[in-house]
Amino acid sequence: MAKITYISRAGEETVLDVANGSTVMRGAVDNAVKGIIGDCGGACSCATCHVYVDPAWLDRVGEVGPIEEILLEEVCDPQDNSRLGCQITITDELDGLVVRLPEKQV
Amino acid sequence: MSTEAQTSGDAVYWDPYRPDLGKDPYPTYKRMRAEAPLYYNPDYDFYAVTRFNDVEACLSDHQNFISGRSDILEFIREDMEVPPGMFIWEDPPLHTAYRTVVMRVFTPKRMNDLEGMIRDYCARCLDAVVGRDKIDFIADLGGQLPGGVIGMLLGIPDEDRDAVRDRVEAALRTEEGKPMEMDQAAIMGENFEAYIDWRMDNPSDDLMTELLNTEFKDPEGVVRKLTKEEVLIFVNLLAGAGNETTSKLIGWMGKLLGEHPDQRRAVAADLSLVNNTIEEILRFEPPGPSVARYVANDVVVQGQTVPAGSVMLNIIAAANRDEGRFVDGERFDIHRQGPPHMTFGRGIHTCLGMALARVEGRVALEEILKRFPDWTVDTDNAQLSSSSSTRGWDTMPVFVG
Ligand code: HEM
Ligand code: FES
C-alpha cells in the first residue's frame, strides 16, 4: 500500500491509498480522480493516463518501456518527467509519490 | 418493447442475427446480466458475457482470449486466414510489432491537427442543406465525414473515397437474419494499390507517405521498412475500422438528441457540454456493440469452465449499461460524470482511432448545433441495420426546426 498524491492542473490535491500491484492509473480511475482516463485499461495502448512524476520520485518509478516511450512522444505537452500512469506499479517503496496531471489527455 | 423472448418464465435467449431482438436488444441484455452472466447459445455455439467487469476482464486477458482468428463471431467460426498486418486480428508478438508502427504515425497530435480540416468538411456538408426542412444525419453528414477524414489522413483523392466506403460497407453487411459472409477481396482491397504506387513516386506529408518510409522492427526482429502489401493492409484496416463505426456514431447523435430535446437544448446553449454528450452517446449506443474472441485455453468465467476452442462474445453494449457500474445505466444523461464506458474496447486492441473518432464526433455535433439547434426524428423513415459487430442507422432523417 502506498499513499499517492494526485495534483490537478488547478492545484487540487487528491490523496489516495493505493494497493500494491495496482497502478497510478488504476488508483485514479477507481476513485474517480478527474484528469486520468485510462481507456485501454492499462495495456499501454491508449496514452490517456499521462502524468508528470514529481522529479524527486523519478528514479523510483521504474524505467520507461519501449512502447510507452512511443506513446509518450505523442501526449499533450510531454516533459522529461512524463510517464503513463498505468505503467507505474504500486509498491511500498512508492509511499508518498506525488504526480501532477496534464492539462488534457486527448 | 416486448418480444416473445422477453416473456419472463422462459430462459433468456440472445441471437445476434434476429432482427426483432436487434431492434431493441437492451431488455435482453439486462436479463442476461441478471440471469445468465455467462450465457451460452446452443444454436450458434458461442458464449457471451454482459457484465462490465467480465467484459473488461476478458478483453484484458489476451492470453486466453485471442484475436488471431478475428474478432467477428462468424469469421472465427469459419477459421479464416488473417493476412499479415491486419493487426486487429493478430496476437502478440505480431500484433505488437504492427500496432506499434501504426501508432507511431497515427498519433493524437496528428488527429488534433486535423480538427480544422474536419470542421471545414462538416461546414461544407451542412451548409449545403441549410434552409431545408428535413435533413438526414447519415446521407448529409455521417455517411461522408468519416471516409472524408480517412481520405485526408491518407491523402486519398476525393473521387475515390465513396468507392472505398461502399466496398467496406458491402463487406460488413449481413443479410437480415443471417450471419455475415466473408468477402476476402473487399478486405484485401486491391484498389488502394494503384494509389500506393502513385504515392511512392509522389511523397507528401500524409500518413501514407510516412507509413511507406517508417522503419520498424518486424515480427522476426529485423529492422526494415513496411512492404507495400503491409501498407495496403493497414490502410484497409484503418478505412474499415474507422468508417462505418464513426458514421454510426453520427447517426445515434441524431437519434438520441432528437429524442431528448431538453438535453439537446442544454448542449446547444452550452457547447462546453459537447464532450460529455459524445461520451454519453458512445456509452448508450456503441456503434460496435460486441467483439468476439477465440478461447485459447480452458478458462473459468463466472465460476464455470469455458473450454478451449469456444467463441466468446463480449457484449460491450450490455456492459455499458451495467447498473453495477453506471448508476441508472438505462437512462440517457449527457450530464453523467464518468466512469468511462467500454465502447472503444479494452486491453491491447483498444481502438487506435479513438482520438480521431472523438474529434469527429465533437466537431460534427458543434457544427450541427450551430445550424440546427432543433430537430425531430422522422421515425417512420429511419432505417436500422444490425449485425453481430455493428449496429446503427442506415438513414436518420429528421425534421428540423
Ligand atoms: C465511434 C467510432 C469507433 C468505435 C466505436 C470503434 C471501436 C473499436 C473497438 C471496440 C475496437 C476493438 C476491437 C477488438 O478489441 O477486437 C477498435 C479497434 C480498432 N479501431 Fe476503432 N472504433 C471507432 C473509430 C475508429 C477510427 C476512426 C479508426 C481509424 C481511423 C479506428 C481504428 C481502429 C483500429 C486500427 C483498431 C484495431 C486496434 C488493434 O487491434 O490494436 N477506429 N475500434
Ligand atoms: S491506460 Fe491506456 S496507456 Fe495507460
Side-chain angles (χ1 to χ4, degrees), chain B residues 59 67 70-71 86-90 95 99 102 106 111 146 150 153 234 237-249 282 286-288 290-293 316 342-346 348-354 356-358 360:
Chain B
L59 290 180
S67 295
S70 102
D71 67 345
M86 194 55 121
F87 58 87
I88 191 168
W89 296 338
E90 279 164 355
H95 169 265
R99 178 169 167 126
V102 178
F106 207 79
M111 302 312 117
I150 306 259
L153 203 65
F234 284 173
L237 171 54
L238 295 178
N243 245 336
E244 228 208 316
T245 42
T246 313
S247 153
K248 290 198 158 30
L249 164 62
L282 286 166
S290 54
V291 294
R293 291 290 187 264
I316 291 172
M342 214 171 351
T343 296
F344 294 114
R346 272 293 185 282
I348 60 169
H349 292 279
T350 302
C351 182
L352 193 67
M354 66 189 169
L356 181 58
R358 283 177 163 138
E360 287 184 58

Side-chain angles (χ1 to χ4, degrees), chain B residues 19-310:
Chain B
D20 57 326
L21 294 180
K23 236 171 227 141
D24 181 13
Y26 294 103
T28 311
Y29 292 160
K30 192 183 173 111
R31 284 194 55 192
M32 289 164 82
R33 283 193 306 264
E35 299 164 30
L38 175 66
Y39 173 75
Y40 177 70
N41 179 307
D43 299 331
Y44 294 97
D45 186 24
F46 67 84
Y47 290 85
V49 282
T50 44
R51 291 190 186 169
F52 196 96
N53 290 342
D54 291 334
V55 177
E56 183 165 53
C58 278
L59 290 180
S60 300
D61 177 1
H62 60 265
Q63 251 123 23
N64 288 317
F65 298 95
I66 66 171
S67 295
R69 296 186 171 213
S70 102
D71 67 345
I72 297 180
L73 187 57
E74 298 86 321
F75 296 178
I76 297 180
R77 294 254 78 101
E78 279 178 35
D79 200 5
M80 70 171 292
E81 222 178 286
V82 173
M86 194 55 121
F87 58 87
I88 191 168
W89 296 338
E90 279 164 355
D91 300 300
L94 264 179
H95 169 265
T96 322
Y98 284 127
R99 178 169 167 126
T100 315
V101 66
V102 178
M103 210 156 72
R104 231 182 244 283
V105 296
F106 207 79
T107 59
K109 186 170 165 303
R110 195 190 270 275
M111 302 312 117
N112 287 321
D113 289 349
L114 283 178
E115 179 168 340
M117 276 163 85
I118 295 175
R119 199 173 293 284
D120 292 344
Y121 196 99
C122 289
R124 264 202 314 278
C125 292
L126 294 169
D127 284 340
V129 295
V130 162
R132 289 207 208 146
D133 50 12
K134 210 172 158 187
I135 63 168
D136 190 313
F137 271 73
I138 300 298
D140 295 325
L141 187 64
Q144 303 174 42
L145 176 68
V149 171
I150 306 259
M152 289 171 201
L153 203 65
L154 298 174
I156 296 174
D158 267 327
E159 57 273 18
D160 294 344
R161 286 179 196 158
D162 288 348
V164 172
R165 187 198 57 221
D166 291 349
R167 251 213 353 255
V168 168
E169 286 197 351
L172 286 180
R173 183 163 314 263
T174 32
E175 235 177 283
E176 226 178 48
K178 289 211 194 115
M180 76 172 87
E181 279 181 26
M182 259 293 274
D183 181 345
Q184 192 77 29
I187 286 175
M188 302 294 285
E190 284 87 3
N191 80 349
F192 277 126
E193 205 170 336
Y195 171 66
I196 295 181
D197 285 337
W198 179 80
R199 219 2 124 210
M200 283 173 127
D201 299 332
N202 300 273
S204 109
D205 63 350
D206 55 42
L207 187 144
M208 179 83 90
T209 307
E210 225 178 288
L211 273 180
L212 287 167
N213 291 326
T214 305
E215 298 224 313
F216 84 119
K217 200 188 260 184
D218 79 4
E220 276 81 48
V222 180
V223 177
R224 61 168 172 88
K225 287 191 180 176
L226 292 162
T227 64
K228 198 173 86 181
E229 287 67 35
E230 286 165 333
V231 172
L232 192 60
I233 299 280
F234 284 173
V235 170
N236 275 285
L237 171 54
L238 295 178
N243 245 336
E244 228 208 316
T245 42
T246 313
S247 153
K248 290 198 158 30
L249 164 62
I250 294 172
W252 284 115
M253 187 186 287
K255 168 82 171 162
L256 290 169
L257 294 177
E259 288 178 346
H260 296 88
D262 46 337
Q263 300 194 41
R264 183 185 64 238
R265 283 179 205 124
V267 247
D270 176 5
L271 291 183
S272 74
L273 287 170
V274 165
N275 274 337
N276 230 40
T277 304
I278 297 297
E279 292 310 302
E280 180 64 352
I281 295 168
L282 286 166
R283 180 190 74 87
F284 203 72
E285 292 289 5
S290 54
V291 294
R293 291 290 187 264
Y294 179 77
V295 181
N297 309 297
D298 286 3
V299 58
V300 176
V301 178
Q302 287 285 339
Q304 233 177 293
T305 300
V306 176
S310 309

